[in-house]
Amino acid sequence: MNVDWKFVIEAFPQVLAYLPVTIELTVVAMTISLIIGTIFAYINFKKVKVASQIIRTYMSLIRGTPIVLQIFVIFHFGPYLLTEMFQKLNIQADVYSIKPIYYAFLALSLSTTVSIAEAVRAGLESIDKGQFESGLSVGMTEGQVLFNVVFPQAFTTAWPVLGNILVGLIKSSSLAFMLSVVEITGYARILGGGVLRYFESYICVFFIYIVVIKITELIMKKLEETKLVYRRRQC
Amino acid sequence: MRTINLSRILEYFLKSLPNLRVTLTYVFFSLILGFALGGLIAKGRMSRNKAISALAQGYVTLVRSTPSIILLFLVFYGLSAVTTGAFNIFLNSLPTVVFVIITFTINIGASSSEIIRSAYNSVSKGQLEAALSVGMTQLQAFNHVLLPQMFRNSIPNIGNTIIFLIKEGALAYVIGLRDVLGQAYFLSALDMNAYALDMCVALTLIYWPITAGLEKLFSVLEKKLEYKHVVVLEQKT
Amino acid sequence: MLSVSNVHKAFGDNEVLKGVSFSVEKGDVVAILGSSGSGKTTLLRCLEFFEKADQGTIKIGETQADLHTASRQKIHELRQKTSFVFQNYNLFNNKNAIENVELGLTKGHGVSKVRAKEIARRSLEEVGLADRFDYYPSELSGGQQQRVAIARALAVEPEVIFFDEPTSALDPELVGEVLETISKLAKKGVTMVIVTHEMAFARDVATKAIYMDKGVIVEQGEAKELFTHPKEERTRQFLSRFLEGYDYVI
């Protein structure tokens, strides 16, 4: 055995110090994706003519390409696109002062949005149209029915899938190092590279992910049990 | 001002496409070995022996919580770290694709065990009992009655696994794998990434049709393999 | 108070409603009768704008609208004056009984939360569900769900409540409790339009009756009159088919 466990123990707290970055990446990307994904899901559900066609093409494109490729595109094309946009809009801003983490938010949201859109649409489709009609019949507007009756039910149905998507996102956040964001994986890379102890530093990351994901799953489970009573009692 | 250049896209396209064979190599081996491992894990999880089923469960939990890239790094750096001496030299001469196959065998081993388990559960218990009642052995019943039905039921999941492998394997460019994406990345680096955008377009034109095509293929396959009466026309000669 | 005129509706080539007109006065209980496929349910759904009629107008109080071209605004305005009881209840699955009643009040009619709770309590008590406030739809029997649905429809104090075969989805032993609830409302003078197959109930509770067949109104009038002395031969045949077995019920 050639593994330096002492190094693992020493490195662990250092790597752990970067966990907040991983969490930030996850929370921000999940929030963005939830908002946009839900909008996409609703547009697809309602089969809005041109918009749903465009969204479906986008979804197919993202599902059809490796996430690494999406990261490449953002890495090489993002700053260029922003420069163009800033020039057009006459904004005086230095594109290169934008922190890499913002690009990572975008990169991680691209694919998470697609997964969420699919999960929520499936949730919406599982709801009986009578739920809509009864809301309208007591004088609520379509929007009121949507937010008080339809979306809460759609999200309940989609909850387990959303949990899987969240776990997937935590795992994907490990790719942010490709955009030079220093989160736990990125730091382990730097640390391991400095002393050529890659394996040991990645072992630290491995343990952290396992614990973080276990905790996430427990929280999701707990929320499902407490918040979403009506489903549980159905059984 | 960067613009997209069609002939350069074509160049990247044509020079990267042949490396599809590397992609297919690791997809093929990871799939076969991964499902074989997955079968064992599934059997372990359904075992009456508590220790074995807990072990199998633990394996699945660990692997599923590990990002592919971390697993890849652990395999790549770990294989040489945990072994010593002469064996090390042998390891260092291994082609990169072997590390990728090992990584994804471990990975698919976990996810396919779930696929196999749910396929097993989807075949009704009566099927096994019926097979045994007409005098088949457990093994015969499994091979001739359960397995074909399990296979049919897991076609969509097998399709998803293949697509997952094609895309996720592209990560291995970080350890120098020259699959489609790895090759394009290598070529782009030779050009100092000046034409990175053309490279990205070329890659999209390779990956998107393949994965979308596979998706279509598997959904057709699923319908084709439904158990129903097929009218076979007599051939007139 | 409610008047409907010349409603036409076709699904593809199938003409379901061929010019239906009727009117309802305050306090009326109107039973719409007819065999399945006669267009009764479609008529009711057109009046609530769940189906878009091809032609026709509706007038409730002072608000008038074209059933085909009404704006969203207009539709919303009319729906606030009516409510609807569905064949399969359609309670909000994510809300318990009292929340089901409150939601229409707070969101649909801008009633304050405190006031809505009070009204909801009273409505549920009225339908005999005082002990089921915090039960979710999945925990209630079909009859109880339908009574919550009636409480929900009643709570918003509509000018008229539409009932679309309110007992058809119920197990036979649960039909009674729902019919009883509706009779109670009738006695209180709530205006209702009821599509139903329960002939004895219609005869005893309704003030007016409408008999529909193949998308047209064959006969309409005072319920007692229509049941005892139908003018049209088709009505007579229909009634005799249904009422034979029920003669002893009164």
Side-chain angles (χ1 to χ4, degrees), chain A residues 160-178:
Chain A
V161 186
L162 290 175
N164 289 341
I165 293 171
L166 179 60
V167 168
L169 177 60
I170 296 173
K171 285 161 58 176
S172 300
S173 74
S174 63
L175 299 175
F177 77 84
M178 293 178 181

Side-chain angles (χ1 to χ4, degrees), chain B:
Chain B
M1 178 76 187
R2 281 193 254 184
T3 48
I4 295 180
N5 180 322
L6 276 183
S7 69
R8 220 177 280 125
I9 291 174
L10 190 67
E11 195 188 322
Y12 277 121
F13 185 93
L14 292 176
K15 282 187 178 165
S16 308
L17 192 61
N19 289 44
L20 194 57
R21 114 190 100 75
V22 178
T23 304
L24 295 181
T25 306
Y26 76 73
V27 169
F28 179 79
F29 285 106
S30 310
L31 194 71
I32 302 288
L33 298 173
F35 266 82
L37 179 60
L40 288 178
I41 306 279
K43 197 151 169 42
R45 286 192 67 182
M46 289 186 277
S47 162
R48 281 204 199 88
N49 186 325
K50 283 236 172 73
I52 292 179
S53 90
L55 211 63
Q57 172 74 59
Y59 174 86
V60 174
T61 309
L62 282 195
V63 174
R64 285 178 68 98
S65 320
T66 313
S68 307
I69 190 97
I70 299 298
L71 197 58
L72 186 67
F73 283 149
L74 288 177
V75 169
F76 185 67
Y77 296 112
L79 271 186
S80 39
V82 296
T83 54
T84 45
F87 192 48
N88 216 351
I89 297 161
F90 163 70
L91 269 177
N92 288 339
S93 62
L94 276 184
T96 316
V97 72
V98 173
F99 293 104
V100 181
I101 291 171
I102 294 172
T103 302
F104 284 104
T105 298
I106 296 172
N107 187 316
I108 301 303
S111 58
S112 69
S113 78
E114 304 275 306
I115 295 175
I116 292 167
R117 234 159 49 100
S118 81
Y120 182 81
N121 291 334
S122 72
V123 180
S124 74
K125 229 182 138 204
Q127 295 285 314
L128 175 66
E129 287 168 357
L132 296 177
S133 77
V134 293
M136 290 190 195
T137 63
Q138 285 274 357
L139 191 66
Q140 283 172 329
F142 184 78
N143 284 341
H144 296 287
V145 180
L146 298 189
L147 196 59
Q149 295 186 48
M150 283 167 63
F151 178 70
R152 203 211 80 80
N153 291 344
S154 31
I155 284 173
N157 285 324
I158 294 173
N160 286 340
T161 305
I162 292 175
I163 292 169
F164 167 82
L165 278 171
I166 292 175
K167 294 191 300 179
E168 198 82 348
L171 286 176
Y173 88 95
V174 292
I175 60 163
L177 181 78
R178 298 272 197 91
D179 68 338
V180 178
L181 185 129
Q183 174 70 2
Y185 181 77
F186 173 76
L187 293 172
S188 172
L190 288 184
D191 294 333
M192 311 297 289
N193 282 326
Y195 313 120
L197 202 55
D198 301 302
M199 165 197 69
C200 290
V201 174
L203 282 175
T204 305
L205 292 178
I206 296 174
Y207 279 104
W208 193 8
I210 291 177
T211 51
L214 280 173
E215 226 169 80
K216 188 94 206 140
L217 176 74
F218 275 96
S219 79
V220 170
L221 211 59
E222 194 196 354
K223 288 199 189 89
K224 274 266 160 63
L225 287 180
E226 244 171 281
Y227 291 112
K228 61 178 182 195
H229 175 65
V230 179
V231 181
V232 181
L233 294 173
E234 236 176 276
Q235 286 216 324
K236 282 178 189 159
T237 42

